[in-house]
Amino acid sequence: MKILITGGSGFIGSHLVEHYQNQAEVVVLDNFRTGHRKNLAGLKCELIEGSILDKA
């Protein structure tokens, strides 16, 4: 299973990333406007820096 979590570096998003560890392949999309990279420290996930509003 592969899961995309938008806003994954925020409080709720990072807890979702933590919850799905060893259950799914986790991809995080975040622009770090309100979240922090430190919230993902030690968690296994692919990180894409960007916004869902960016066409690219």
Side-chain angles (χ1 to χ4, degrees), residues 2-48:
K2 191 171 191 176
I3 297 173
L4 171 66
I5 300 175
T6 58
S9 71
F11 180 78
I12 294 171
S14 62
H15 281 85
L16 286 171
V17 174
E18 183 178 10
H19 174 78
Y20 284 108
Q21 294 293 282
N22 303 314
Q23 295 181 41
E25 183 180 341
V26 179
V27 178
V28 171
L29 174 66
D30 205 309
N31 62 4
F32 297 102
R33 199 178 91 195
T34 58
H36 304 280
R37 290 181 191 273
K38 67 181 180 182
N39 290 341
L40 298 172
L43 298 175
K44 188 174 75 173
C45 64
E46 177 185 346
L47 176 60
I48 301 171

